[in-house]
Amino acid sequence: MIAAPPRPAAFAALAATRPGPAGTAFLRSGMHARRLLLLKALLVRVRRHRDRIAPETLRGFEAAWNLLERTERGAPGVVRAVLDYPTTGAWLAAALTAPPGPALDRHLAHLEPLAATAAVRAGRPLDLVLRAPGGVLPLPGAGNVLVPPGPVRLISRSQVVRVHSEAAPGAPAALLRPVGPPGGAVTGSGPGWRGLRELAGGAARLDDLDPYRAPPGGVGTPARIAAERPDIDHSAWSGHWRAARELLRRTDPARAVEIGRTVGALVPLLPQGPRAVGATLSVAPGAVLMTPSAGAFDMAETLVHELHHSKLSTLHELVPLYRPGRAAVLYRVGWRADERPVSGVFQGAYAHLALADLWRRARDAPRVPGAWSTRAAQQFDHVHDQVGEALAMLLESDELTNEGREFARHMRQLHASLGASPGARG
């Protein structure tokens, strides 16, 4: 998907890793346009392969599509929020690449609970039957309901939705209801209800339930696997999140605000060592996947690092920064033992430049803990030269587009200012 670059000032601010309303709005609107494009592509795929889709799956998909359209007409903001939730992007990617047959049918069925979630959030009247594979009815961005395997009926009355198991008609029902401002969120109660936990000071949820929160085989090398709810210390995650946000607020208030507005899902991964290991998925911007952190410093750094991977991936999809080059062209960067293609150099340079900016501010900020300031000074000295070397590689490469070269030049300007006196910083 190719779009016109944002205005020069916003483009420069994005390249300098600085949060700004214009750059954020450009990325957010571009991401939403891409979601709509992928959703339309999925509809086209269903129509093309309808003879190879199970009749029950096809009926459910078409009914869910109609429900989503009706909800969108009355509450477009609600549907946008559900479609823009990070895991919706991961679901669309899986559904668009699955081969026709049982795998595709399984992914298509997810549109039913997604449309139902939007309808519940919008307070629409409901009386529909959904499937709950494995006895779990997922509600993206809200939680899930554990039910006996089999069909599940959702019936609303006065904006309270009762979740009945068709397989056990006499069993007590879970209840769902919209909360907050119109279209704000969904909460629940009763047997089987498991809600996502909100994280303080922003829109983020600790998502340990969504079936699309991480790839089935894990993410990265070695593979990092999504943690399950019984294995997660929710109070520790919430405490580290609050402490990291406060640390960022003292160090760089604009970054603290950006984290709160941009990170929609924090996805716990199984532990791998004493410090946090983070990851992002290009198909799910707004989700940060990470192993448990060692504390506020560790989580703050991981959030900033991974957010900038996500921002650059989204920007590159809208405005290509580099073009596919020769497969043999690899580069060695200071923060990796293996050689990297130009995409990896660009991603790493951008994320580490954001950290260098953060560490420079933490080193000089008067109101941050002394241990954070000392750590930041050490980390800054270690990374600053590595980023400079990577930027030189990028600017000498013939794989960058014109926009990519301009972006890298702006990155170099920030990098140069970080090595100047403290008063030279913006």
Side-chain angles (χ1 to χ4, degrees), residues 197-291:
R197 292 169 171 84
E198 295 184 357
L199 295 169
R205 293 166 173 78
L206 191 67
D207 198 332
D208 52 2
L209 296 176
D210 195 287
Y212 290 93
R213 67 190 186 277
V219 59
T221 304
R224 298 153 196 157
I225 307 299
E228 299 295 334
R229 173 159 288 197
D231 302 320
I232 296 169
D233 184 343
H234 294 92
S235 62
W237 279 90
S238 182
H240 289 169
W241 168 269
R242 287 195 302 271
R245 289 286 310 283
E246 176 61 20
L247 189 67
L248 289 171
R249 189 186 66 78
R250 294 186 182 189
T251 307
D252 188 348
R255 290 207 188 279
V257 171
E258 182 181 43
I259 293 290
R261 291 179 177 173
T262 308
V263 176
L266 187 62
V267 178
L269 303 175
L270 292 176
Q272 285 189 351
R275 295 190 60 187
V277 177
T280 54
L281 304 172
S282 61
V283 296
V288 173
L289 297 75
M290 62 185 294
T291 62

Side-chain angles (χ1 to χ4, degrees), residues 117-392:
T117 301
V120 173
R121 286 182 62 164
R124 283 192 58 86
L126 278 178
D127 186 356
L128 71 160
V129 176
L130 306 179
R131 289 168 293 170
V136 180
L137 177 65
L139 301 167
N144 64 29
V145 182
L146 303 180
V147 296
V152 176
R153 182 177 292 275
L154 275 63
I155 303 176
S156 64
R157 181 178 300 171
S158 300
Q159 294 198 340
V160 175
V161 180
R162 300 176 64 84
V163 182
H164 296 272
S165 168
E166 297 278 276
L175 304 178
L176 307 174
R177 60 180 65 84
V179 294
V186 172
T187 189
S189 60
W193 165 251
R194 299 192 301 177
L196 297 183
R197 292 169 171 84
E198 295 184 357
L199 295 169
R205 293 166 173 78
L206 191 67
D207 198 332
D208 52 2
L209 296 176
D210 195 287
Y212 290 93
R213 67 190 186 277
V219 59
T221 304
R224 298 153 196 157
I225 307 299
E228 299 295 334
R229 173 159 288 197
D231 302 320
I232 296 169
D233 184 343
H234 294 92
S235 62
W237 279 90
S238 182
H240 289 169
W241 168 269
R242 287 195 302 271
R245 289 286 310 283
E246 176 61 20
L247 189 67
L248 289 171
R249 189 186 66 78
R250 294 186 182 189
T251 307
D252 188 348
R255 290 207 188 279
V257 171
E258 182 181 43
I259 293 290
R261 291 179 177 173
T262 308
V263 176
L266 187 62
V267 178
L269 303 175
L270 292 176
Q272 285 189 351
R275 295 190 60 187
V277 177
T280 54
L281 304 172
S282 61
V283 296
V288 173
L289 297 75
M290 62 185 294
T291 62
S293 70
F297 303 167
D298 197 18
M299 179 172 279
E301 293 165 359
T302 303
L303 288 170
V304 170
H305 183 92
E306 297 303 333
L307 175 60
H308 284 80
H309 281 314
S310 189
K311 286 166 64 175
L312 193 69
S313 293
T314 300
L315 179 64
H316 176 64
E317 287 183 344
L318 300 171
V319 182
L321 303 174
Y322 46 85
R323 60 182 67 90
R326 299 179 297 277
V329 178
L330 298 173
Y331 306 84
R332 189 169 294 282
V333 293
W335 52 83
R336 292 282 296 240
D338 56 336
E339 293 182 322
R340 307 293 289 157
V342 69
S343 58
V345 179
F346 218 134
Q347 278 282 356
Y350 189 61
H352 283 88
L353 181 62
L355 283 177
D357 180 62
L358 175 70
W359 285 325
R360 170 66 187 269
R361 292 169 187 270
R363 185 190 72 183
D364 302 331
R367 298 176 56 241
V368 303
W372 170 236
S373 181
T374 301
R375 170 189 174 117
Q378 295 170 345
Q379 297 282 43
F380 175 84
D381 290 341
H382 180 64
V383 163
H384 185 263
D385 289 345
Q386 294 179 347
V387 173
E389 293 169 359
L391 289 173

